Amino acid sequence: MNTDAPWPDLDEAEWRVLQIQTKLHQWAVDDPDRCFDDLYNLVHDPAVLAVAWARVRGNRGARSAGVDGVKPRSIVFGKEAFLSDLRDDLKARTFTPLPVRQRFIPKKGGKLRGLGIPTARDRTIQAALLVVLEPIFEADFHPCSYGFRPGRRAHDAIAEIHHLATHSYEWIVEGDIKACFDEISHSALLQRVRARIGDKRVVGLVKAFLKAGVLSEDGVTRHADTGTPQGGILSPLLSNIALSVLDEHFAEAWEQTMGSSSAREKRRRKGLANYRLVRYADDWVVMVAGARDDAESLRDQAAAVLAPMGLRLADDKTRICHIDEGFEFLGFRIQRKTKRGTARSHVYTYPSKKALLAVCDKVRTISRQGRNDPLTELLRRINPVLRGWCNYFRHAVSKATFQYLCSFAWRRVTLWLRRKHPRANWKWLRHHYLPGWWPTEDEATMFNPSTVPITRYRYRGYKIPSPWAAAGTAA
């Protein structure tokens, strides 16, 4: 590969990167014990850096600056000089990441979550590392993991839980890892990285990002021996590498003792439990076909497996329940209920009350602002919120919820109009803003949640293809 070639355009770079990733993924699949020794030249390859920069500048985080005060979106005309300097530093091995800028955002329950914002240079190198490392580790990840992986989404995790719950997996261990991104052991994580990556230069880059430190809001730089700052482009992959110990434990138990229907039937006759893990990032559930005692023992197993990675279960969020009680996962409420008018029970998935309250709070906050703006501006801000929320929950039993959200949003918009025009009567408002009693101005119309069709999400099981395997087949 000619790494001294001029900077390619984005289309050419994406094609070259796809070829590189396909080869790396295929080699990793063909040889599960292979240790990749020469990857550093790929990290500073012009095509890889061009694709990495396009990703950094194209996402929402491009509007945020790191400790150097430079926003990726502000780099417009000096892109080639920026990437050339970055590549020269990588080739000379003089690149050193800067501490991330820490910002806190509110969480549920009044708590705060710390986010680390890397500099534009660091984000680009992290994206380049992700391009090179992700195809390799994707070959090792198990199908039970769905979070932050290409081609997989939260709906796949919900579909698998629904499938298992309808097939006698009635006890649920609902787990949550306490401060997962803050407590991952660096030594244990790097040990798992070295099992696949033999290039010490690449491992050194990963270690440098882990040890870069955090510039807190009080202006003090803090260095930690654990954790990977949440918010970096590379952090989701590193967390999946760490948490794959949990996947491996339950996947190995499944393959050895529960891999066939006859083996599962034999375990049932002996009074033993069958169980499966479903994980999305640091949120996970173990579906158990057995008794509550079996679920409690599996919870203890999970805690013991996570301990070597420096991780602990959050006692207040880790619970055991029956499917008839129901539980919440990824914004959905999953519960078995008797179908109205019949004696048969079915497992249903609903939008949780917390998720509904969250979107209502967003609509309420938006409708309290910008009274001097035109209605078009209000609809421009409120429509994406409604559309995105409904698209996420359109595979659940959501018709009644969508109708409620429709009524709520309509009331908030009309109250906004009443405050904007306090002396106007309903006739005047209908003539100017509410034709057919629906908020409209010029070509802007409020999104109607009640019109979103409800469709069942197709359970894909283990048939979710890798994007690089599909690319190789097409080529």
Side-chain angles (χ1 to χ4, degrees):
M1 181 177 298
N2 184 12
T3 57
D4 293 325
W7 292 102
D9 58 39
L10 185 57
D11 291 337
E12 179 185 355
E14 288 177 344
W15 171 245
R16 287 170 56 184
V17 165
L18 182 61
Q19 290 179 310
I20 293 171
Q21 290 182 314
T22 303
K23 289 181 179 179
L24 291 174
H25 182 73
Q26 193 60 51
W27 291 338
V29 170
D30 292 342
D31 187 358
D33 298 324
R34 177 168 182 165
C35 191
F36 291 80
D37 294 322
D38 190 11
L39 296 176
Y40 194 73
N41 64 320
L42 296 180
V43 175
H44 60 69
D45 181 82
V48 173
L49 288 177
V51 170
W53 171 247
R55 174 174 180 177
V56 168
R57 196 175 185 279
N59 62 22
R60 293 178 58 186
R63 296 174 293 183
S64 302
V67 295
D68 59 353
V70 178
K71 300 178 182 179
R73 190 162 292 182
S74 67
I75 303 175
V76 179
F77 301 105
K79 182 191 76 171
E80 292 191 0
F82 172 80
L83 292 179
S84 296
D85 292 343
L86 201 56
R87 184 166 183 255
D88 292 341
D89 289 345
L90 284 174
K91 293 177 69 175
R93 300 188 64 184
T94 58
F95 172 80
T96 302
L98 295 175
V100 297
R101 183 169 67 95
Q102 189 177 50
R103 284 294 177 268
F104 290 97
I105 60 174
K107 291 176 58 178
K108 297 176 182 177
K111 298 181 180 180
L112 296 176
R113 172 186 284 120
L115 293 181
I117 305 175
T119 63
R121 287 169 53 88
D122 294 351
R123 272 180 261 186
T124 306
I125 300 302
Q126 287 192 30
L129 282 171
L130 183 67
V131 166
V132 175
L133 297 181
E134 188 175 39
I136 297 173
F137 286 100
E138 272 293 319
D140 299 333
F141 291 156
H142 290 274
C144 61
S145 169
Y146 295 97
F148 306 121
R149 295 183 58 189
R152 294 168 173 264
R153 54 185 71 93
H155 298 96
D156 290 312
I158 298 299
E160 181 165 2
I161 291 173
H162 184 276
H163 174 78
L164 293 172
T166 56
H167 290 80
S168 302
Y169 290 77
E170 300 179 349
W171 284 99
I172 296 96
V173 182
E174 184 185 0
D176 187 89
I177 300 172
K178 185 175 183 179
C180 175
F181 283 87
D182 299 330
E183 297 189 359
I184 295 176
S185 169
H186 288 176
S187 58
L189 174 59
L190 290 172
Q191 183 178 359
R192 294 185 66 82
V193 172
R194 292 189 184 98
R196 267 300 202 177
I197 309 300
D199 194 326
K200 295 183 179 179
R201 297 167 295 180
V202 174
V203 178
L205 271 181
V206 175
K207 184 177 181 180
F209 282 116
L210 292 174
K211 302 292 185 181
V214 176
L215 178 63
S216 59
E217 292 184 341
D218 57 5
V220 179
T221 301
R222 295 179 173 86
H223 298 277
D225 295 328
T226 60
T228 170
Q230 193 170 357
I233 295 178
L234 194 61
S235 296
L237 176 62
L238 296 179
S239 66
N240 269 335
I241 294 173
L243 293 173
S244 61
V245 296
L246 195 64
D247 307 340
E248 292 169 0
H249 173 78
F250 284 97
E252 183 179 357
W254 175 267
E255 293 169 2
Q256 291 182 354
T257 61
M258 298 168 278
S260 63
S261 58
S262 60
R264 294 192 292 274
E265 180 62 31
K266 184 181 296 185
R267 287 177 62 87
R268 282 194 292 267
R269 288 198 299 266
K270 293 180 178 180
L272 300 176
N274 298 315
Y275 50 90
R276 292 276 291 274
L277 172 74
V278 180
R279 182 176 67 83
Y280 189 93
D282 59 338
D283 296 322
W284 53 272
V285 296
V286 179
M287 308 294 294
V288 184
R292 184 182 182 90
D293 293 341
D294 300 317
E296 291 176 351
S297 65
L298 291 171
R299 178 189 57 191
D300 298 337
Q301 281 186 34
V305 171
L306 292 170
M309 295 301 302
L311 299 174
R312 301 170 295 161
L313 296 182
D315 295 333
D316 56 334
K317 296 182 180 180
T318 301
R319 56 188 290 262
I320 296 174
C321 64
H322 194 269
I323 191 62
D324 292 338
E325 303 172 39
F327 66 101
E328 294 181 5
F329 190 67
L330 303 180
F332 290 86
R333 174 77 181 174
I334 307 170
Q335 188 172 3
R336 185 168 63 186
K337 293 184 176 182
T338 303
K339 185 177 180 180
R340 185 181 302 173
T342 68
R344 299 183 62 183
S345 297
H346 299 274
V347 178
Y348 295 96
T349 57
Y350 307 90
S352 68
K353 290 185 179 179
K354 289 183 180 179
L356 179 60
L357 291 175
V359 71
C360 288
D361 286 342
K362 289 183 180 179
V363 173
R364 186 182 294 108
T365 301
I366 294 172
S367 62
R368 284 175 176 169
Q369 303 169 353
R371 190 182 305 177
N372 295 325
D373 294 334
L375 177 61
T376 304
E377 178 63 20
L378 175 67
L379 298 180
R380 186 189 68 81
R381 296 169 58 197
I382 209 170
N383 280 350
V385 174
L386 297 175
R387 185 180 293 109
W389 195 87
C390 292
N391 283 337
Y392 182 76
F393 288 105
R394 64 191 175 95
H395 300 299
V397 184
S398 307
K399 196 65 178 178
T401 307
F402 287 173
Q403 290 173 351
Y404 173 84
L405 181 60
C406 175
S407 301
F408 178 84
W410 185 90
R411 288 195 304 271
R412 295 304 306 178
V413 173
T414 53
L415 286 173
W416 182 88
L417 288 172
R418 294 294 299 272
R419 291 193 300 269
K420 182 178 177 65
H421 303 283
R423 297 183 180 181
N425 55 28
W426 281 109
K427 182 178 179 180
W428 188 90
L429 289 175
R430 282 195 63 188
H431 178 72
H432 288 82
Y433 297 111
L434 299 171
W437 287 104
W438 195 252
T440 304
E441 185 178 35
D442 297 332
E443 296 181 357
T445 302
M446 192 184 85
F447 179 78
N448 189 350
S450 63
T451 62
V452 177
I454 305 300
T455 58
R456 179 179 292 275
Y457 188 81
R458 180 173 59 89
Y459 172 55
R460 299 192 288 172
Y462 286 5
K463 298 179 181 179
I464 304 177
S466 164
W468 305 290
T473 304

